[in-house]
Amino acid sequence: RELVAEANAEPVRTAADGRIHFRIADACGNPAHAFLLRALWEMRETPVNRRLDALLLSRSRRRANIAEHRAILDAIRARDP
């Protein structure tokens, strides 16, 4: 729900998007994986990358991203790898 609410917000890569990735990484139980994900995510958050995302990610791509995240969360809830 949070991701949908933030879909049209700036920055393109929203806090809700990051939380989904971080929660999944944390749930995997591998601290190294979670650490690396956060480090890589942080590296993406430069002014240049944020501007490129704003220019290159269309609303339809953002909606597709939300649908993809939803499908992943549904599979996790259903315990369906």
Side-chain angles (χ1 to χ4, degrees):
R1 289 182 215 164
E2 294 171 37
L3 188 59
V4 173
E6 295 180 10
N8 294 319
E10 291 296 330
V12 173
R13 204 175 301 115
T14 65
D17 185 27
R19 283 192 299 275
I20 288 170
H21 291 272
F22 302 149
R23 287 178 183 163
I24 292 170
D26 291 339
C28 290
N30 182 336
H33 174 79
F35 174 81
L36 287 173
L37 176 68
R38 283 180 171 82
L40 291 171
W41 194 274
E42 197 172 299
M43 289 171 61
R44 293 172 51 193
E45 291 301 315
T46 65
V48 170
N49 285 334
R50 284 194 303 268
R51 183 68 182 138
L52 285 172
D53 280 353
L55 291 171
L56 300 175
L57 290 178
S58 66
R59 286 184 192 258
S60 63
R61 180 64 245 166
R62 285 189 248 173
R63 283 192 292 273
N65 287 348
I66 291 168
E68 292 163 4
H69 284 83
R70 240 188 220 135
I72 292 167
L73 291 174
D74 289 346
I76 291 170
R77 287 184 188 113
R79 299 183 184 273
D80 179 9

